[in-house]
Amino acid sequence: PRCEVAWFCPHERRCFVCDMHSCVECRLMRGDGETVAELARRYSPKVIAMDFDRTVATTKSGGKPEMGKHHVDNDLLSLISCTPGCCIVTRNSHVQHIQSFLTAHGAPPDLPIHSLK
């Protein structure tokens, strides 16, 4: 894709999208669940909003999560379970299925889940 000006780090002059660049000064970090958990420990944010599909779980394109077929990221699940202020923000409309799926994997039953659909 053709890079837009807003996608560039002003410090390193690299594209966040194409180069998969991280920059501490921009406070934009790329990484897996372990990276997110470490950043949460370091910065102690009041709110952590996570996407469900392909982030917290292996579901794709708004599909219903199914036990035995889909999995959760254990580092993110641990973060959700022990960190106040975590919530799920997703375009997936299957909120009840997501809630049941995450609860079955050990997430708090009162975890806020916000569907944007």
Side-chain angles (χ1 to χ4, degrees):
R2 183 179 165 103
C3 300
E4 295 186 23
V5 174
W7 298 354
F8 278 83
C9 168
H11 309 101
E12 298 289 328
R13 301 193 196 300
R14 292 178 59 195
C15 179
F16 288 113
V17 178
C18 296
D19 297 336
M20 297 186 72
H21 176 62
S22 293
C23 177
V24 173
E25 291 178 79
C26 289
R27 296 184 67 131
L28 182 68
M29 306 298 291
R30 298 182 82 98
D32 58 9
E34 186 177 2
T35 303
V36 173
E38 173 56 33
L39 289 170
R41 280 190 288 278
R42 187 180 312 160
Y43 294 111
S44 301
K46 293 183 183 190
V47 175
I48 301 173
M50 297 181 220
D51 187 23
F52 182 73
D53 292 332
R54 299 181 67 193
T55 303
V56 174
T58 57
T59 54
K60 295 181 182 179
S61 304
K64 288 182 190 177
E66 297 178 33
M67 295 297 287
K69 179 178 179 184
H70 298 109
H71 306 282
V72 296
D73 182 295
N74 288 325
D75 293 311
L76 294 179
L77 182 63
S78 178
L79 181 65
I80 288 168
S81 298
C82 68
T83 307
C86 287
C87 65
I88 303 295
V89 179
T90 182
R91 291 182 297 170
N92 190 318
S93 61
H94 303 289
V95 173
Q96 291 297 88
H97 289 92
I98 292 170
Q99 187 80 56
S100 298
F101 180 79
L102 290 175
T103 301
H105 280 90
D110 59 345
L111 176 68
I113 299 174
H114 306 282
S115 176
L116 303 178
K117 281 222 169 182

